[in-house]
Amino acid sequence: MINTPKSIYFTHNFFSLINTWEQRKLGEIFEYLQNNTLSRDSLNYKIPNIKNIHYGDILVKFNEILDGSNKDIPYINPDLDLSKFSKSLLRDGDVIFSDTAEDDTVGKAIELQNVNAPFILSGLHTIPCRPLIPFGKGYLGNFFNSNSYRLQIRPLVQGIKVSSISKSALKDTMIKYPKNLDEQEKIGSLFQSITKMITLHQ
């Protein structure tokens, strides 16, 4: 059975029907951060250190909004030198896309919140990016997994057995959002409530 995010099934017409919102290309309002290519062998759940977001966990474990204190985020083994990633430590509001998958979940995204010590890095087969303008908490995670945005991604996906999407392709996708940050947060809270309700029913 294909493990597709619940929000993809839930039609977010909300994002496609409101014409008064701002619309910009991702490449205009986001910057890309560096990810690492650490395998599962370089990660553990017992020795506290910098945490690492693996693409497989984005696809299977995590919902649209990921709390930095989540115990399912593994630590990087302490014997590894991570100094070259010092400028890519993630913070609240950053978004991570999974750039590959064996089904149509490729491009699934998470928004990070409550990122405190230990810090977090973006791992294998991920595309981490940071908004250059403010966004309301919870809005981006829900928008990037909405049906409206997923329809943009599908024609950009490459591959047969293993699907992938590139940074250059994502740059030209369009983001719709209200200019009012409070309104963005209310929308984010609404869809988080819907996600929780779907989870409870399942």
Side-chain angles (χ1 to χ4, degrees):
M1 180 178 179
I2 294 176
N3 189 348
T4 305
K6 296 183 291 295
S7 58
I8 294 176
Y9 288 123
F10 188 86
T11 305
H12 288 188
N13 290 329
F14 214 88
F15 296 114
S16 57
L17 295 178
I18 301 178
N19 298 319
T20 58
W21 292 9
E22 185 82 8
Q23 180 169 289
R24 302 278 294 278
K25 287 185 177 182
L26 184 145
E28 295 174 341
I29 54 175
F30 279 82
E31 63 176 344
Y32 288 129
L33 304 174
Q34 185 180 7
N35 71 311
N36 61 65
T37 56
L38 299 176
S39 67
R40 290 286 190 188
D41 292 338
S42 301
L43 310 176
N44 75 90
Y45 289 91
K46 296 181 179 180
I47 307 172
N49 192 25
I50 292 176
K51 294 181 175 181
N52 195 67
I53 307 292
H54 190 276
Y55 82 101
D57 293 336
I58 294 177
L59 297 176
V60 177
K61 289 184 179 180
F62 302 143
N63 290 324
E64 296 85 353
I65 311 300
L66 177 61
D67 192 299
S69 64
N70 191 310
K71 293 181 180 179
D72 284 330
I73 306 175
Y75 299 109
I76 298 173
N77 293 344
D79 58 327
L80 298 174
D81 181 12
L82 302 174
S83 57
K84 65 180 179 180
F85 298 108
S86 60
K87 295 183 179 180
S88 294
L89 293 172
L90 300 174
R91 63 192 188 200
D92 284 13
D94 287 347
V95 173
I96 307 174
F97 292 89
S98 172
D99 71 6
T100 190
E102 294 182 358
D103 53 40
D104 62 358
T105 58
V106 61
K108 182 188 173 186
I110 58 170
E111 176 187 335
L112 284 174
Q113 292 297 337
N114 302 320
V115 178
N116 300 304
F119 296 107
I120 300 176
L121 287 173
S122 190
L124 182 69
H125 287 307
T126 64
I127 301 175
C129 54
R130 176 167 294 160
L132 299 173
I133 61 174
F135 277 94
K137 181 178 179 180
Y139 180 79
L140 290 173
N142 285 284
F143 175 79
F144 284 128
N145 290 290
S146 69
N147 190 56
S148 173
Y149 188 73
R150 298 290 304 177
L151 287 173
Q152 294 186 62
I153 285 183
R154 285 170 191 161
L156 308 175
V157 172
Q158 298 180 331
I160 301 175
K161 290 185 177 180
V162 177
S163 302
S164 64
I165 191 165
S166 67
K167 290 181 180 180
S168 58
L170 281 177
K171 273 187 175 182
D172 290 328
T173 57
M174 302 301 295
I175 303 171
K176 295 181 181 180
Y177 56 93
K179 294 181 179 180
N180 186 290
L181 295 183
D182 184 55
E183 187 176 346
Q184 291 178 21
E185 290 200 13
K186 288 178 180 177
I187 293 169
S189 295
L190 169 64
F191 285 108
Q192 278 304 102
S193 298
I194 293 171
T195 297
K196 288 179 181 178
M197 185 169 61
I198 292 172
T199 301
L200 287 173
H201 281 286
Q202 287 180 336

